[in-house]
Amino acid sequence: MKPTILSFGALASGVVAFPTVLDQLQRSSANEKRLLGITPGFNAAAQYVSTTGAHTFVPPDFDAGDVRGPCPGLNAMANHGYLPHNGVGGHLDFIQGTLDVFGMAADMSAFLTVVGGTLDGDGLSWSIGGPVPSALSLGGLLGEPQGISGSHNKYESDASPTRGDLYLNGDDYKLQMDQWEDLYARGQANGDSYTLDVLNEFRSARWDYSLNNNPYFFNGPFTGVLVAPAAYEFIYRFMGNKSAENPEGYLNGDVLMSFFSMTKNDDGSFTHTPGNERIPDNWYKRAIGDEYSIPLLALDTVAAALEYPKFLSVGGNTGTVNSFVGVLPEDITEGVFNAATLTQGNNLACFSMQFLAQAAPDLIKGSGVISDILGAVTRLTGAVSTAISGLSCPQLTQIDESQFDQFPGYSEMKPDGTY
Ligand code: HEM
Ligand SMILES: *[C@@H]1O[C@H](CO)[C@@H](O)[C@H](O)[C@H]1NC(C)=O
C-alpha cells in the first residue's frame, strides 16, 4: 500500500487500513495490559499523592523569579514541592518527581528530561518555563538556556491541547481560553468523562484548525509524531484519578480544571490563573508496577493514528494555510522506515527517537547555548539508545533534513523561537 498516512484525500474518507500487527489489538487498555502481562490493580495507600505538609500547594512567586510553562504536569509538581519550587530542576528531580506524582516509568522520564536538558537547558538542568538567569546554569555556556517555553518545534509542537501555536498566538505556552473551552465541553458531552477517545477527537479538531489557520503549521518527526500525541494521551493516562472501581483511571471535569488551573464562574465562564496548576486533594496516581512507559505511549499513539491517520503525517504547511505537504519517512530515513511499516511493532517510537538523535547536533548548535556540542550530543544519543534498547529498532544511521527546507515553520524559525 502506498503512503496513505500522507494523503489527505484518504484521511477524509476515514477508511484507511493499516497492515499492522496492532490491527488485531482491541483498543481497550485492558487488552494492552494483558498483552504486556500487567494488571494494574489498586492500592490506596501506595497510590495516594500527598497534597499536605511538604507537599502543600504554594503558588509560584513570579516576581521572585519562579518560572512555570506549557506543561501542566510539571507546573503542578513544582507548586506542590515535587520539583524545585523555582521551576528549574536537574535530571534526578524530574525522574523522581514524575514517578512519585504520576507514575511515569523511568525509560520515559529519563529520556524526556535529557531532551529537556539538552535542547532547552544547560545539559544538566532545565527550566519548566522560560529563560532562567545564567547564575543557575553551568559555566561555559554560549547563551541563556531558553527553557521548554522557548523550544518551539524542537520540543514544543503546534496543535497542542490548550496552548496556542507560536505563529498564531505569538507564544506557545499560554493557555488559550477557546481551546480550553472546547476541551472542557467535549468531556461534559461525554458524561463528565475525559477518555482517550474524547482526547483524540479533540486532537483531530486541533490539527484541522492549525492546518486551516497557521501558514507555518509543522508536524515534525519528533515533536509531531511523539511529543504532540503524548500531550493529549498524558491528560487521561496521568491526570485520571485511579481507584478500585477505575484502576485505569477516571478523569472528570473537576480534576481536569484543577490540573489546568481553572475555576468555573457562576455564569459558566472560566477563570484561568497562569501557573497555579494543582494536584487535587484525595487524588490517586497510577498503580505501582503500572508505570506509563515508552512502549505504552507508543501503543496509545499507534491506536490514535489508526483512527486518525493524519496524525502520523510528517510535514507541514508551506507558507499559506491548508497547503500541507507530507514528507515520506523513507525519504527522511534513507529507506529504513516507510509509511507502511511505521505503525508496526515499535517502529513509531524507533523512528521518532532515532530521528531526534540524528538531528541532535543541528538542534543543539541551533539553540546556540551549549558550547560542548559533542558532550551534549553524546548525552542525548545515550539517552535515546537507553530508551530504545528494549524495542528492537531497525538501525537509523542517517537522516535527510533538507526535506524540511520547504517548511517555513521549521526552516525560518529564528534561534529565539520566533519567525
Ligand atoms: C520530564 C517530564 C516532562 C517533560 C520534559 C514535559 C515537557 C512538556 C512539553 C515540552 C510540553 C509542550 C508540548 C506541546 O507543545 O504540546 C508539554 C505539554 C504537556 N505536558 Fe508535559 N512534560 C513532562 C511530564 C508531564 C507529565 C508528568 C504530565 C502529566 C499530566 C504532563 C502533561 C502535559 C500536558 C497535558 C501537556 C499539554 C498542555 C496543553 O497544551 O494543554 N507532562 N510537556
Ligand atoms: C478519586 O477516586 C476516589 C474513589 O472513587 C474518590 O474517593 C476520590 O474523591 C477521587 N478523587 C478526586 C480528586 O476526584
Side-chain angles (χ1 to χ4, degrees):
M1 199 171 64
K2 268 319 251 178
T4 33
I5 55 167
L6 302 163
S7 130
F8 276 85
L11 307 178
S13 74
V15 289
V16 183
F18 279 86
T20 159
V21 286
L22 286 163
D23 274 346
Q24 336 276 328
L25 234 188
Q26 291 290 313
R27 293 186 40 236
S28 89
S29 46
N31 276 348
E32 295 167 9
K33 297 287 155 46
R34 221 173 294 133
L35 181 81
L36 296 163
I38 302 168
T39 42
F42 180 72
N43 177 332
Q47 291 173 243
Y48 168 73
V49 176
S50 170
T51 53
T52 61
H55 297 299
T56 303
F57 172 79
V58 180
D61 182 348
F62 294 121
D63 291 337
D66 293 346
V67 291
R68 299 292 183 265
C71 179
L74 299 175
N75 290 354
M77 286 163 57
N79 293 338
H80 284 275
Y82 288 102
L83 281 177
H85 193 258
N86 66 2
V88 183
H91 296 317
L92 289 178
D93 296 324
F94 289 102
I95 293 169
Q96 190 68 51
T98 52
L99 176 68
D100 289 347
V101 178
F102 290 105
M104 183 185 279
D107 66 336
M108 185 183 287
S109 58
F111 170 71
L112 292 178
T113 185
V114 171
V115 176
T118 311
L119 300 186
D120 308 325
D122 60 19
L124 300 180
S125 71
W126 52 280
S127 148
I128 67 174
V132 287
S134 42
L136 289 166
S137 313
L138 297 177
L141 295 183
L142 303 172
E144 192 170 57
Q146 291 300 301
I148 56 174
S149 296
S151 67
H152 182 60
N153 282 343
K154 289 189 295 172
Y155 211 163
E156 196 282 329
S157 65
D158 286 329
S160 305
T162 71
R163 271 57 179 175
D165 286 8
L166 175 66
Y167 186 75
L168 286 178
N169 299 97
D171 75 77
D172 56 15
Y173 55 89
K174 289 192 194 127
L175 181 135
Q176 301 298 321
M177 191 55 85
D178 55 340
Q179 292 174 216
W180 159 261
E181 285 172 351
D182 186 3
L183 168 60
Y184 186 81
R186 286 170 188 272
Q188 294 308 298
N190 190 45
D192 195 20
S193 178
Y194 296 78
T195 59
L196 283 180
D197 283 341
V198 167
L199 292 162
N200 287 332
E201 207 181 313
F202 176 50
R203 182 175 176 212
S204 174
R206 294 281 313 119
W207 173 289
D208 293 346
Y209 184 86
S210 290
L211 174 73
N212 292 318
N213 292 277
N214 182 355
Y216 285 7
F217 174 49
F218 181 66
N219 196 57
F222 173 62
T223 53
V225 172
L226 211 62
V227 179
Y232 288 83
E233 288 148 12
F234 283 8
I235 294 176
Y236 172 74
R237 292 295 187 198
F238 285 136
M239 295 181 184
N241 181 33
K242 317 305 183 282
S243 62
E245 312 84 76
N246 295 296
E248 301 279 348
Y250 164 58
L251 179 59
N252 67 16
D254 286 345
V255 170
L256 188 75
M257 281 200 294
S258 177
F259 275 120
F260 276 92
S261 193
M262 281 288 173
T263 50
K264 202 173 181 182
N265 306 312
D266 289 340
D267 65 0
S269 67
F270 294 91
T271 300
H272 176 61
T273 312
N276 279 226
E277 290 81 0
R278 260 184 116 126
I279 302 169
D281 292 333
N282 200 20
W283 178 87
Y284 298 84
K285 67 168 178 168
R286 296 177 69 85
I288 312 306
D290 186 40
E291 286 75 26
Y292 197 60
S293 60
I294 287 170
L296 287 176
L297 171 70
L299 276 174
D300 282 341
T301 304
V302 168
L306 292 175
E307 189 155 0
Y308 302 98
K310 63 190 173 193
F311 290 169
L312 292 189
S313 302
V314 171
N317 281 342
T318 54
T320 54
V321 301
N322 209 356
S323 59
F324 195 99
V325 172
V327 172
L328 297 173
E330 47 267 55
D331 290 344
I332 311 171
T333 64
E334 310 208 304
V336 174
F337 296 94
N338 64 52
T341 58
L342 207 53
T343 52
Q344 295 177 345
N346 292 308
N347 283 345
L348 184 140
C350 294
F351 164 69
S352 187
M353 294 164 81
Q354 292 189 97
F355 174 87
L356 177 73
Q358 292 293 324
D362 283 346
L363 288 169
I364 293 163
K365 270 181 232 151
S367 65
V369 172
I370 294 180
S371 52
D372 177 17
I373 308 258
L374 186 63
V377 170
T378 305
R379 229 173 353 248
L380 187 59
T381 49
V384 169
S385 46
T386 305
I388 65 174
S389 58
L391 302 184
S392 322
C393 290
Q395 188 66 35
L396 179 63
T397 51
Q398 224 175 334
I399 54 168
D400 179 4
E401 279 181 277
S402 71
Q403 298 290 326
F404 300 128
D405 291 348
Q406 59 185 311
F407 305 115
Y410 190 77
S411 58
E412 285 179 26
M413 194 180 61
K414 302 196 193 105
D416 70 357
T418 62
Y419 291 102

